Amino acid sequence: MEKRKNMEHTALLVLSLLAGEDMYGYQMIVELARRSEHAFDMKEGTLYPILHGLEKGGAVEAYLQEAPTGRTRKYYHLTKKGAERLRTEETAWQTYSGAVNAVLRFGAGLSPA
């Protein structure tokens, strides 16, 4: 269950990262791990299929840019459609997580509020 729980909302996490700035793949992996205190240690084999699906769906666009090291990297940019999807998925997540927390609090004998 642990792996499934972490991966169900991967697209939401990726869209959230890209809402702040354009990023390349490895940068997203490092930043997601940092922000989540390593609760989300995503592998490239998980991230890139998510990015390709988001790109195919019009939520992100990719472009190549040369890094200061001279290496060309593929960056991803959140589109208007992606920002709309982020808002929708974030609202759904807030509703879901709020409901889970209410059940957990009730089960622990605490008030649901």
Side-chain angles (χ1 to χ4, degrees):
M1 178 170 157
E2 188 69 28
K3 185 170 184 78
R4 190 169 142 241
K5 177 181 67 174
N6 288 345
M7 301 322 296
E8 285 180 351
H9 300 285
T10 304
L12 171 62
L13 299 173
V14 170
L15 291 171
S16 180
L17 287 173
L18 294 174
E21 65 179 299
D22 294 357
M23 294 183 168
Y24 57 93
Y26 184 72
Q27 181 183 11
M28 286 183 242
I29 290 170
V30 169
E31 187 62 17
L32 184 59
R34 185 189 71 75
R35 290 187 194 181
S36 70
E37 297 180 358
H38 294 278
F40 300 109
D41 282 324
M42 193 178 296
K43 306 290 184 217
E44 291 177 3
T46 300
L47 175 63
Y48 287 106
I50 296 294
L51 285 169
H52 295 152
L54 290 170
E55 187 175 14
K56 186 175 181 180
V60 301
E61 293 175 343
Y63 63 93
L64 298 176
Q65 182 172 313
E66 190 173 314
T69 61
R71 181 177 183 184
T72 300
R73 291 192 170 127
K74 189 174 193 178
Y75 283 81
Y76 295 87
H77 171 78
L78 187 68
T79 63
K80 182 178 178 181
K81 186 174 183 178
E84 291 169 3
R85 180 171 171 181
L86 172 59
R87 283 190 297 275
T88 299
E89 288 196 21
E90 187 174 5
T91 299
W93 173 255
Q94 295 297 338
T95 300
Y96 175 79
S97 64
V100 168
N101 286 331
V103 170
L104 293 174
R105 282 191 304 271
F106 185 78
L110 303 174
S111 129

